[in-house]
Amino acid sequence: MERMVGTVVRGIRTPIINHGDDLTEIIVNSLIKASQCEGFTIKDRDIIGITESVVARAQGNYANTDDIAKDIKNKFGDETIGVIFPILSRNRFAICLKGIAKGAKKIILMLKYPSDEVGNHLISLEELDEKGINPWTDVLTETQFREYFGYHKHTFTGVDYIDYYKSLIQECGVECEILFSNNPKTILDYTQSVLTCDIHSRFRTKKILKQNGGKKVYNLEDILSTPIEGSGYNEDYGLLGSNKATEDKIKLFPRNCQKVVDEIQQRIKRKTGKIVEVMIYGDGAFKDPVGKIWELADPVVSPAYTSGLEGTPNEVKLKYLADNNFSHLKGEELKNAISEYIKNKKDNLVGAMESQGTTPRKITDLLGSLCDLTSGSGDKGTPLVYIQGYFDNFTEE
Protein backbone atom coordinates (compact mmCIF):
# COMPACT_ATOMS: atom_id res chain seq x y z
CA MET A 1 0.00 0.00 0.00
CA GLU A 2 1.25 3.49 -0.85
CA ARG A 3 2.59 5.45 2.12
CA MET A 4 0.35 8.44 2.89
CA VAL A 5 1.88 9.85 6.11
CA GLY A 6 5.09 11.82 6.52
CA THR A 7 6.40 13.25 9.79
CA VAL A 8 4.50 12.24 12.96
CA VAL A 9 5.05 14.04 16.25
CA ARG A 10 3.82 12.70 19.60
CA GLY A 11 3.89 14.30 23.03
CA ILE A 12 4.73 11.47 25.47
CA ARG A 13 3.50 11.64 29.04
CA THR A 14 5.94 10.84 31.83
CA PRO A 15 5.75 10.79 35.62
CA ILE A 16 6.50 14.09 37.37
CA ILE A 17 10.30 14.26 37.48
CA ASN A 18 12.04 15.44 40.65
CA HIS A 19 15.57 15.87 41.98
CA GLY A 20 17.45 12.58 42.12
CA ASP A 21 15.21 10.66 39.71
CA ASP A 22 16.86 8.43 37.11
CA LEU A 23 15.95 10.54 34.11
CA THR A 24 17.32 8.11 31.53
CA GLU A 25 15.27 5.24 32.95
CA ILE A 26 12.11 7.35 33.07
CA ILE A 27 12.50 8.58 29.48
CA VAL A 28 13.25 5.15 28.03
CA ASN A 29 10.49 3.36 29.97
CA SER A 30 7.93 6.07 29.15
CA LEU A 31 8.70 5.86 25.44
CA ILE A 32 8.54 2.06 25.30
CA LYS A 33 5.30 2.02 27.28
CA ALA A 34 3.80 4.65 24.96
CA SER A 35 4.80 2.63 21.88
CA GLN A 36 3.06 -0.42 23.33
CA CYS A 37 -0.08 1.48 24.33
CA GLU A 38 -0.39 3.48 21.10
CA GLY A 39 0.80 0.79 18.70
CA PHE A 40 3.76 2.53 17.07
CA THR A 41 7.16 0.97 16.42
CA ILE A 42 10.47 2.54 17.44
CA LYS A 43 12.65 2.88 14.33
CA ASP A 44 16.16 3.93 13.38
CA ARG A 45 16.55 7.72 13.01
CA ASP A 46 13.48 8.50 15.06
CA ILE A 47 14.04 11.51 17.32
CA ILE A 48 13.57 11.93 21.07
CA GLY A 49 13.24 15.49 22.36
CA ILE A 50 13.46 16.15 26.11
CA THR A 51 12.63 19.54 27.56
CA GLU A 52 15.56 21.11 29.43
CA SER A 53 13.35 21.73 32.45
CA VAL A 54 13.07 18.08 33.48
CA VAL A 55 16.81 17.55 32.98
CA ALA A 56 17.57 20.41 35.38
CA ARG A 57 14.92 19.18 37.83
CA ALA A 58 16.44 15.70 37.92
CA GLN A 59 19.85 17.25 38.48
CA GLY A 60 18.54 19.50 41.26
CA ASN A 61 20.08 22.49 39.52
CA TYR A 62 18.49 25.23 41.62
CA ALA A 63 19.67 28.38 43.35
CA ASN A 64 18.01 31.03 45.49
CA THR A 65 18.20 34.81 45.56
CA ASP A 66 20.73 34.79 48.41
CA ASP A 67 23.08 32.70 46.24
CA ILE A 68 22.74 35.23 43.43
CA ALA A 69 23.28 38.10 45.87
CA LYS A 70 26.52 36.60 47.19
CA ASP A 71 27.93 36.20 43.69
CA ILE A 72 26.92 39.76 42.78
CA LYS A 73 28.58 41.05 45.96
CA ASN A 74 31.72 39.03 45.24
CA LYS A 75 32.02 40.52 41.75
CA PHE A 76 30.91 44.14 42.26
CA GLY A 77 31.53 44.91 45.93
CA ASP A 78 29.85 48.17 46.98
CA GLU A 79 29.84 49.75 43.52
CA THR A 80 26.71 51.20 41.93
CA ILE A 81 25.69 48.54 39.42
CA GLY A 82 24.35 49.27 35.97
CA VAL A 83 21.90 46.48 35.14
CA ILE A 84 21.29 46.81 31.42
CA PHE A 85 19.16 45.25 28.69
CA PRO A 86 17.15 42.68 30.69
CA ILE A 87 14.20 41.01 28.99
CA LEU A 88 10.77 41.83 30.40
CA SER A 89 9.68 38.59 32.03
CA ARG A 90 8.37 37.49 35.40
CA ASN A 91 9.41 33.94 34.63
CA ARG A 92 12.84 34.64 33.18
CA PHE A 93 14.22 37.68 34.95
CA ALA A 94 12.18 38.86 37.94
CA ILE A 95 13.67 36.45 40.50
CA CYS A 96 17.16 37.01 39.08
CA LEU A 97 16.63 40.76 39.53
CA LYS A 98 15.57 40.24 43.12
CA GLY A 99 18.80 38.36 43.77
CA ILE A 100 20.87 41.01 42.00
CA ALA A 101 19.22 43.73 44.10
CA LYS A 102 19.94 41.86 47.33
CA GLY A 103 23.65 42.05 46.49
CA ALA A 104 23.71 45.75 45.53
CA LYS A 105 23.50 49.16 47.20
CA LYS A 106 22.29 51.09 44.17
CA ILE A 107 21.12 49.97 40.72
CA ILE A 108 20.86 51.93 37.51
CA LEU A 109 18.37 49.87 35.49
CA MET A 110 18.68 50.58 31.76
CA LEU A 111 15.94 49.17 29.51
CA LYS A 112 15.86 48.82 25.75
CA TYR A 113 12.92 50.51 24.03
CA PRO A 114 10.46 50.26 22.32
CA SER A 115 10.95 46.55 23.13
CA ASP A 116 13.44 44.18 24.72
CA GLU A 117 15.58 41.93 22.56
CA VAL A 118 13.00 39.15 22.35
CA GLY A 119 10.14 41.46 21.35
CA ASN A 120 8.32 42.30 24.60
CA HIS A 121 7.15 45.85 23.91
CA LEU A 122 7.06 48.73 26.36
CA ILE A 123 5.52 50.91 23.66
CA SER A 124 4.81 50.65 19.95
CA LEU A 125 6.84 51.99 17.05
CA GLU A 126 3.85 54.13 16.11
CA GLU A 127 4.03 55.88 19.51
CA LEU A 128 7.70 56.65 18.92
CA ASP A 129 6.83 58.14 15.55
CA GLU A 130 4.05 60.28 17.04
CA LYS A 131 6.37 61.73 19.68
CA GLY A 132 9.35 62.16 17.33
CA ILE A 133 11.59 59.96 19.46
CA ASN A 134 14.55 58.13 17.89
CA PRO A 135 15.31 55.01 19.99
CA TRP A 136 18.81 54.68 18.49
CA THR A 137 19.94 58.12 19.65
CA ASP A 138 17.59 59.39 22.35
CA VAL A 139 18.19 58.59 26.01
CA LEU A 140 15.18 59.00 28.30
CA THR A 141 14.86 59.16 32.07
CA GLU A 142 11.91 57.48 33.76
CA THR A 143 10.19 60.86 34.15
CA GLN A 144 10.67 61.72 30.48
CA PHE A 145 9.46 58.30 29.38
CA ARG A 146 6.26 58.66 31.42
CA GLU A 147 5.68 62.20 30.12
CA TYR A 148 5.93 60.98 26.54
CA PHE A 149 4.20 57.60 26.79
CA GLY A 150 2.39 57.30 30.12
CA TYR A 151 1.75 53.86 31.59
CA HIS A 152 1.45 50.70 29.50
CA LYS A 153 0.71 47.13 30.48
CA HIS A 154 2.15 44.18 28.58
CA THR A 155 -0.21 42.70 25.98
CA PHE A 156 -0.12 39.18 27.42
CA THR A 157 0.79 39.55 31.11
CA GLY A 158 -1.00 42.78 32.03
CA VAL A 159 2.15 43.97 33.85
CA ASP A 160 3.75 47.40 33.71
CA TYR A 161 7.35 46.15 33.76
CA ILE A 162 8.88 49.52 34.55
CA ASP A 163 7.01 49.77 37.84
CA TYR A 164 7.31 46.03 38.48
CA TYR A 165 11.09 45.87 38.14
CA LYS A 166 11.55 49.10 40.09
CA SER A 167 9.40 47.78 42.94
CA LEU A 168 11.37 44.50 43.08
CA ILE A 169 14.59 46.47 43.55
CA GLN A 170 13.17 48.92 46.08
CA GLU A 171 11.59 46.14 48.14
CA CYS A 172 15.15 44.93 48.77
CA GLY A 173 15.97 48.34 50.27
CA VAL A 174 18.03 49.35 47.24
CA GLU A 175 17.99 52.72 45.47
CA CYS A 176 16.92 52.41 41.83
CA GLU A 177 17.22 54.79 38.89
CA ILE A 178 15.72 53.84 35.49
CA LEU A 179 16.99 54.83 32.06
CA PHE A 180 15.86 54.02 28.52
CA SER A 181 18.57 53.61 25.90
CA ASN A 182 19.65 51.16 23.20
CA ASN A 183 23.30 52.23 23.34
CA PRO A 184 25.40 50.22 25.84
CA LYS A 185 27.79 53.17 26.27
CA THR A 186 25.02 55.26 27.90
CA ILE A 187 25.41 53.39 31.18
CA LEU A 188 29.08 54.38 31.44
CA ASP A 189 28.00 57.97 32.15
CA TYR A 190 26.56 56.63 35.42
CA THR A 191 28.84 53.77 36.47
CA GLN A 192 31.73 51.66 35.19
CA SER A 193 30.39 48.55 36.95
CA VAL A 194 27.90 46.87 34.65
CA LEU A 195 25.91 43.66 34.56
CA THR A 196 24.72 43.06 31.01
CA CYS A 197 21.53 41.00 30.93
CA ASP A 198 21.01 40.59 27.19
CA ILE A 199 21.10 37.09 25.75
CA HIS A 200 21.94 36.86 22.07
CA SER A 201 23.74 40.22 21.80
CA ARG A 202 25.71 39.78 25.02
CA PHE A 203 29.17 39.34 23.49
CA ARG A 204 28.90 42.56 21.48
CA THR A 205 27.51 44.50 24.45
CA LYS A 206 30.30 43.31 26.73
CA LYS A 207 32.96 44.17 24.14
CA ILE A 208 31.61 47.70 23.63
CA LEU A 209 31.56 48.38 27.37
CA LYS A 210 35.09 47.13 27.93
CA GLN A 211 36.43 49.12 24.98
CA ASN A 212 34.84 52.32 26.30
CA GLY A 213 35.91 52.40 29.92
CA GLY A 214 33.90 49.72 31.69
CA LYS A 215 35.94 48.40 34.60
CA LYS A 216 33.80 45.64 36.10
CA VAL A 217 31.72 44.19 33.28
CA TYR A 218 29.90 40.90 33.65
CA ASN A 219 27.04 39.16 31.87
CA LEU A 220 24.33 36.92 33.36
CA GLU A 221 26.37 33.94 32.12
CA ASP A 222 29.08 34.97 34.62
CA ILE A 223 26.72 34.86 37.60
CA LEU A 224 26.44 31.38 39.19
CA SER A 225 28.86 29.94 36.65
CA THR A 226 30.31 28.20 39.70
CA PRO A 227 28.41 27.06 42.81
CA ILE A 228 27.91 29.42 45.74
CA GLU A 229 28.06 27.39 48.96
CA GLY A 230 26.66 24.28 47.26
CA SER A 231 24.08 26.04 45.07
CA GLY A 232 23.16 25.02 41.56
CA TYR A 233 25.16 26.56 38.73
CA ASN A 234 25.90 26.34 35.04
CA GLU A 235 29.52 26.62 33.96
CA ASP A 236 28.60 27.68 30.41
CA TYR A 237 25.53 29.89 30.86
CA GLY A 238 25.28 30.95 34.51
CA LEU A 239 21.87 32.59 34.98
CA LEU A 240 21.07 32.54 31.26
CA GLY A 241 18.29 30.08 30.52
CA SER A 242 17.04 30.09 34.12
CA ASN A 243 13.35 30.08 35.07
CA LYS A 244 11.37 31.01 38.13
CA ALA A 245 10.80 28.07 40.49
CA THR A 246 9.40 29.89 43.54
CA GLU A 247 9.27 33.53 44.66
CA ASP A 248 12.82 33.11 45.99
CA LYS A 249 14.33 30.35 43.85
CA ILE A 250 15.26 29.71 40.22
CA LYS A 251 15.85 26.59 38.17
CA LEU A 252 19.03 26.94 36.15
CA PHE A 253 19.75 25.64 32.64
CA PRO A 254 20.82 21.97 32.93
CA ARG A 255 24.45 20.84 33.07
CA ASN A 256 26.36 17.94 31.47
CA CYS A 257 23.67 17.51 28.84
CA GLN A 258 25.76 15.61 26.31
CA LYS A 259 26.12 12.73 28.74
CA VAL A 260 22.32 12.61 29.13
CA VAL A 261 21.52 12.38 25.40
CA ASP A 262 24.27 9.83 24.77
CA GLU A 263 23.08 7.59 27.63
CA ILE A 264 19.48 7.65 26.40
CA GLN A 265 20.55 6.79 22.86
CA GLN A 266 22.66 3.86 24.13
CA ARG A 267 19.92 2.51 26.39
CA ILE A 268 17.31 2.63 23.61
CA LYS A 269 19.72 0.71 21.38
CA ARG A 270 20.24 -1.96 24.07
CA LYS A 271 16.50 -2.37 24.62
CA THR A 272 15.24 -2.16 21.03
CA GLY A 273 18.24 -2.56 18.75
CA LYS A 274 17.38 0.79 17.12
CA ILE A 275 19.56 3.88 16.88
CA VAL A 276 17.45 6.94 17.61
CA GLU A 277 18.62 10.54 17.79
CA VAL A 278 18.21 12.45 21.05
CA MET A 279 18.18 16.15 21.87
CA ILE A 280 17.49 18.35 24.87
CA TYR A 281 15.52 21.45 23.91
CA GLY A 282 14.56 24.71 25.55
CA ASP A 283 12.73 27.55 23.83
CA GLY A 284 11.86 27.20 20.19
CA ALA A 285 13.05 29.88 17.79
CA PHE A 286 9.92 31.47 16.35
CA LYS A 287 8.08 34.79 16.48
CA ASP A 288 4.52 35.35 17.62
CA PRO A 289 2.73 37.54 15.06
CA VAL A 290 0.32 39.08 17.59
CA GLY A 291 2.53 39.97 20.54
CA LYS A 292 5.64 40.34 18.33
CA ILE A 293 7.59 38.18 20.78
CA TRP A 294 10.53 36.19 19.52
CA GLU A 295 10.24 33.10 21.71
CA LEU A 296 13.95 32.29 22.16
CA ALA A 297 14.85 33.47 25.68
CA ASP A 298 17.34 30.63 26.22
CA PRO A 299 20.98 31.10 25.18
CA VAL A 300 20.62 28.18 22.71
CA VAL A 301 17.72 26.10 21.43
CA SER A 302 19.46 22.82 22.21
CA PRO A 303 22.29 22.50 24.77
CA ALA A 304 23.07 18.93 23.63
CA TYR A 305 22.14 16.47 20.90
CA THR A 306 23.42 13.26 19.33
CA SER A 307 25.60 13.45 16.22
CA GLY A 308 22.87 12.50 13.75
CA LEU A 309 21.19 15.88 14.35
CA GLU A 310 24.19 17.91 13.25
CA GLY A 311 23.86 20.16 10.22
CA THR A 312 21.05 21.71 8.18
CA PRO A 313 18.38 20.22 5.88
CA ASN A 314 19.34 19.61 2.25
CA GLU A 315 15.96 19.78 0.54
CA VAL A 316 14.42 20.82 -2.74
CA LYS A 317 11.12 22.67 -3.11
CA LEU A 318 8.48 20.40 -4.63
CA LYS A 319 6.32 23.22 -5.92
CA TYR A 320 9.33 24.81 -7.65
CA LEU A 321 10.08 21.55 -9.46
CA ALA A 322 6.41 21.11 -10.41
CA ASP A 323 6.07 24.69 -11.68
CA ASN A 324 9.43 24.91 -13.46
CA ASN A 325 11.53 21.82 -14.18
CA PHE A 326 8.56 19.53 -14.82
CA SER A 327 5.72 21.92 -15.66
CA HIS A 328 4.98 19.89 -18.79
CA LEU A 329 4.17 16.75 -16.76
CA LYS A 330 1.14 15.67 -14.72
CA GLY A 331 -0.07 12.77 -12.60
CA GLU A 332 2.13 9.72 -12.28
CA GLU A 333 4.71 11.08 -14.73
CA LEU A 334 5.16 14.19 -12.59
CA LYS A 335 5.42 12.16 -9.40
CA ASN A 336 8.03 9.85 -10.92
CA ALA A 337 10.07 12.72 -12.33
CA ILE A 338 10.17 14.56 -9.01
CA SER A 339 11.01 11.36 -7.12
CA GLU A 340 13.91 10.67 -9.47
CA TYR A 341 15.15 14.25 -9.08
CA ILE A 342 15.13 13.94 -5.28
CA LYS A 343 16.99 10.64 -5.38
CA ASN A 344 19.75 12.25 -7.44
CA LYS A 345 19.89 15.68 -5.79
CA LYS A 346 23.30 17.17 -4.92
CA ASP A 347 24.73 16.80 -1.44
CA ASN A 348 24.89 20.59 -1.08
CA LEU A 349 22.03 22.65 -2.52
CA VAL A 350 23.07 26.03 -1.12
CA GLY A 351 22.33 28.66 -3.77
CA ALA A 352 20.37 26.31 -6.03
CA MET A 353 17.05 27.70 -7.26
CA GLU A 354 15.41 24.35 -6.55
CA SER A 355 16.10 24.79 -2.81
CA GLN A 356 14.83 28.35 -2.38
CA GLY A 357 12.37 28.76 0.49
CA THR A 358 13.37 25.51 2.22
CA THR A 359 14.54 27.23 5.44
CA PRO A 360 18.14 25.98 5.77
CA ARG A 361 18.29 26.53 9.54
CA LYS A 362 20.10 24.17 11.88
CA ILE A 363 18.21 20.90 12.23
CA THR A 364 18.22 21.25 16.03
CA ASP A 365 16.73 24.74 15.81
CA LEU A 366 13.91 23.50 13.59
CA LEU A 367 13.31 20.49 15.82
CA GLY A 368 13.45 22.65 18.95
CA SER A 369 10.56 24.77 17.70
CA LEU A 370 8.61 21.63 16.75
CA CYS A 371 9.21 20.11 20.20
CA ASP A 372 8.46 23.31 22.11
CA LEU A 373 5.15 23.81 20.34
CA THR A 374 4.23 20.16 20.88
CA SER A 375 5.04 19.95 24.59
CA GLY A 376 3.83 23.47 25.36
CA SER A 377 4.74 25.33 28.53
CA GLY A 378 1.63 24.53 30.54
CA ASP A 379 -0.17 21.45 31.80
CA LYS A 380 0.11 18.96 28.94
CA GLY A 381 2.43 16.74 30.96
CA THR A 382 4.48 15.72 27.92
CA PRO A 383 8.11 16.78 28.51
CA LEU A 384 9.15 14.00 26.11
CA VAL A 385 8.46 14.48 22.39
CA TYR A 386 8.83 11.62 19.91
CA ILE A 387 9.25 12.40 16.22
CA GLN A 388 9.09 9.87 13.40
CA GLY A 389 9.68 10.33 9.69
CA TYR A 390 11.43 13.69 10.04
CA PHE A 391 14.28 12.72 7.74
CA ASP A 392 12.00 11.08 5.15
CA ASN A 393 11.15 12.71 1.84
CA PHE A 394 8.68 12.32 -1.05
CA THR A 395 10.44 9.18 -2.30
CA GLU A 396 10.09 7.14 0.91
CA GLU A 397 7.87 4.07 0.63
Side-chain angles (χ1 to χ4, degrees):
M1 183 179 292
E2 182 181 7
R3 179 173 171 179
M4 298 299 295
V5 176
T7 301
V8 176
V9 186
R10 295 178 174 89
I12 306 296
R13 292 181 179 175
T14 71
I16 301 298
I17 295 167
N18 291 305
H19 181 203
D21 287 346
D22 186 337
L23 182 67
T24 301
E25 187 73 12
I26 290 172
I27 295 299
V28 171
N29 288 345
S30 296
L31 176 59
I32 291 175
K33 183 178 179 181
S35 71
Q36 294 167 346
C37 292
E38 300 298 323
F40 63 87
T41 303
I42 295 171
K43 300 177 182 178
D44 290 326
R45 298 210 79 192
D46 288 350
I47 301 163
I48 296 173
I50 306 139
T51 181
E52 59 82 21
S53 176
V54 297
V55 181
R57 284 178 63 83
Q59 293 173 343
N61 202 19
Y62 291 85
N64 61 42
T65 53
D66 288 336
D67 300 323
I68 298 171
K70 287 173 186 174
D71 206 3
I72 291 292
K73 191 73 173 176
N74 290 342
K75 288 180 167 64
F76 290 102
D78 291 330
E79 302 285 338
T80 294
I81 304 172
V83 176
I84 72 169
F85 300 162
I87 65 171
L88 307 175
S89 173
R90 295 170 298 175
N91 178 44
R92 290 289 189 168
F93 190 69
I95 308 305
C96 293
L97 181 59
K98 189 185 292 188
I100 293 164
K102 281 186 174 182
K105 285 193 173 180
K106 180 178 179 179
I107 286 177
I108 310 292
L109 180 64
M110 192 168 87
L111 303 175
K112 281 179 174 282
Y113 76 103
S115 69
D116 67 14
E117 71 172 300
V118 298
N120 292 293
H121 277 73
L122 289 170
I123 49 174
S124 69
L125 287 170
E126 288 75 15
E127 288 172 292
L128 290 179
D129 294 340
E130 289 171 6
K131 301 297 183 180
I133 301 296
N134 184 341
W136 300 110
T137 58
D138 295 342
V139 177
L140 303 177
T141 65
E142 182 183 3
T143 298
Q144 289 171 324
F145 186 91
R146 293 302 195 190
E147 287 175 350
Y148 279 121
F149 307 113
Y151 289 76
H152 286 260
K153 292 184 177 181
H154 189 279
T155 304
F156 292 155
T157 65
V159 172
D160 182 310
Y161 279 95
I162 300 169
D163 274 356
Y164 179 51
Y165 278 3
K166 186 174 184 179
S167 67
L168 286 175
I169 295 169
Q170 292 177 332
E171 285 168 8
C172 295
V174 175
E175 185 182 350
C176 175
E177 184 176 347
I178 296 181
L179 298 172
F180 301 85
S181 175
N182 292 304
N183 185 346
K185 291 186 285 186
T186 300
I187 198 65
L188 298 175
D189 294 333
Y190 297 81
T191 178
Q192 280 71 55
S193 297
V194 185
L195 178 66
T196 73
C197 302
D198 45 347
I199 305 164
H200 309 294
S201 56
R202 65 189 185 276
F203 300 115
R204 176 177 180 268
T205 300
K206 211 172 181 182
K207 181 180 177 182
I208 290 171
L209 291 169
K210 287 186 173 182
Q211 288 177 340
N212 287 275
K215 292 184 171 59
K216 295 180 181 179
V217 181
Y218 296 96
N219 178 263
L220 287 179
E221 67 185 349
D222 302 311
I223 309 303
L224 292 189
S225 59
T226 56
I228 300 294
E229 299 178 4
S231 74
Y233 67 99
N234 189 297
E235 59 271 75
D236 296 317
Y237 300 118
L239 289 179
L240 290 176
S242 63
N243 298 84
K244 176 180 179 179
T246 71
E247 295 301 325
D248 196 52
K249 186 163 68 172
I250 57 169
K251 176 201 65 60
L252 294 152
F253 217 44
R255 307 191 308 268
N256 303 320
C257 292
Q258 193 62 46
K259 179 182 177 183
V260 175
V261 297
D262 290 341
E263 284 182 351
I264 291 171
Q265 184 184 56
Q266 291 161 12
R267 195 171 300 191
I268 288 288
K269 184 180 180 183
R270 287 198 299 270
K271 290 207 170 193
T272 68
K274 304 300 181 182
I275 299 176
V276 300
E277 303 299 339
V278 186
M279 66 179 286
I280 294 168
Y281 67 92
D283 277 344
F286 52 86
K287 185 172 182 176
D288 172 72
V290 177
K292 313 301 181 187
I293 299 170
W294 181 37
E295 178 69 13
L296 185 57
D298 286 322
V300 291
V301 172
S302 176
Y305 48 87
T306 50
S307 60
L309 299 179
E310 191 66 61
T312 60
N314 189 55
E315 300 174 336
V316 294
K317 198 78 167 180
L318 293 188
K319 67 179 183 180
Y320 183 90
L321 295 177
D323 289 342
N324 292 272
N325 303 49
F326 307 114
S327 59
H328 59 291
L329 300 177
K330 291 186 179 181
E332 196 68 21
E333 283 187 304
L334 176 60
K335 176 184 175 182
N336 292 337
I338 289 178
S339 295
E340 194 63 25
Y341 190 99
I342 292 171
K343 290 175 182 177
N344 294 288
K345 67 185 177 183
K346 297 176 182 178
D347 291 335
N348 188 341
L349 290 167
V350 173
M353 291 300 290
E354 291 82 359
S355 69
Q356 62 182 330
T358 56
T359 318
R361 292 159 55 193
K362 287 177 62 177
I363 289 170
T364 50
D365 289 347
L366 293 165
L367 287 169
S369 294
L370 179 61
C371 288
D372 191 23
L373 289 167
T374 301
S375 62
S377 56
D379 56 9
K380 286 182 171 58
T382 56
L384 166 60
V385 175
Y386 195 62
I387 304 168
Q388 296 188 294
Y390 186 79
F391 293 108
D392 294 352
N393 59 44
F394 185 64
T395 68
E396 305 291 336
E397 297 296 336

